[in-house]
Amino acid sequence: MTPLDGLSFQLYSARMLEPLEKQFELLAGLGYRKVEPFGGLLNEPDRLRGLLERHGIAAPTSHVGLDRLRVDPVATVKLCRDLGVGTIYAPAPPLGEREGGEAEWKAIGQELNRIGKVVTGEGLTFGWHNHHWEYGKAADGRRFLDIMLQEAPDILWEADLAWIVRGGADPAAEVRRYAGRVKAVHVKDIAPAGQCLDEDGWADPGHGVLDWGKLLPVLQEIGVTLFVAEHDKPNDVARFARRAFATVSSWR
């Protein structure tokens, strides 16, 4: 199995291309066979399911906000299962809960642990998707990421490789540290300093500063099977999707 076999596309990256049907037409035309929906798309599950079926695209994972999971995790699992999703990733704390300290991140970990037990009890798997907030530190020097994951020892971690860099850490070392819990990663890149400012400094995979020659062997070594292309603010969705596909296609 090559990385291309595990290539997926985070649909948040195409949110500015409307309607949703255009996103699926673009991705299917480029050869994508997997996507990762995000929470807002779950408000129209029938529409999403229809597009997945029409284009022969699977959604093995989905991002689901903690707000939805808190309200009714069982119903959320059913909704995701009906879309063919096997793993739910919570992508971030809600607004107002992202800049907390040790106590807040410990509480988030405990909550993730509880939600994870419900999700797995319903037959799906559950995990967390990081940004840079998790790389803040407690007074004793421990990182919030480690505090959180310690409180939820059974959940997976979908490592966003570029956000790890922005958090000041080495993504290769980070995924090795949590080998066994990292089955999916976000394939994202960072532009050289001063470039792509209109895209918040993000770059298309393979067109930025991340060392994929170093990262890819580590990802393969620890058993990553899903490579989710993402760009938080592309000014050209088609360009990003095309370049991401080409970059992952070159990996062996």
Side-chain angles (χ1 to χ4, degrees), residues 132-145:
H132 62 301
W133 307 297
E134 294 88 343
Y135 286 90
K137 293 184 178 180
D140 62 3
R142 290 182 301 153
R143 306 176 314 173
F144 298 149
L145 176 76

Side-chain angles (χ1 to χ4, degrees), residues 101-114:
E102 177 181 352
E104 287 81 2
W105 284 98
K106 183 174 182 179
I108 289 172
Q110 292 169 347
E111 182 175 30
L112 294 176
N113 188 54
R114 292 191 296 270

Side-chain angles (χ1 to χ4, degrees), residues 169-242:
D170 175 3
E174 291 297 288
V175 296
R176 268 208 182 102
R177 183 172 186 166
Y178 286 99
R181 298 178 71 171
V182 182
K183 303 299 182 183
V185 298
H186 268 203
V187 176
K188 184 185 291 184
D189 219 325
I190 298 173
Q195 297 184 23
C196 301
L197 298 182
D198 61 332
E199 298 182 284
D200 290 347
W202 301 111
D204 301 331
H207 294 261
V209 301
L210 267 68
D211 186 350
W212 297 104
K214 172 186 175 182
L215 275 169
L216 181 60
V218 176
L219 300 176
Q220 293 174 317
E221 171 192 322
I222 68 169
V224 171
T225 57
L226 196 66
F227 300 82
V228 185
E230 185 183 46
H231 190 309
D232 285 20
K233 192 183 177 183
N235 59 23
D236 185 333
V237 174
R239 181 212 69 215
F240 159 64
R242 184 176 62 253

Side-chain angles (χ1 to χ4, degrees), residues 107-128:
I108 289 172
Q110 292 169 347
E111 182 175 30
L112 294 176
N113 188 54
R114 292 191 296 270
I115 292 171
K117 291 183 184 305
V118 175
V119 173
T120 55
E122 293 293 318
L124 271 63
T125 49
F126 181 65
W128 181 257

Side-chain angles (χ1 to χ4, degrees), residues 93-100:
L95 288 171
E97 301 180 35
R98 301 175 178 180
E99 304 296 341

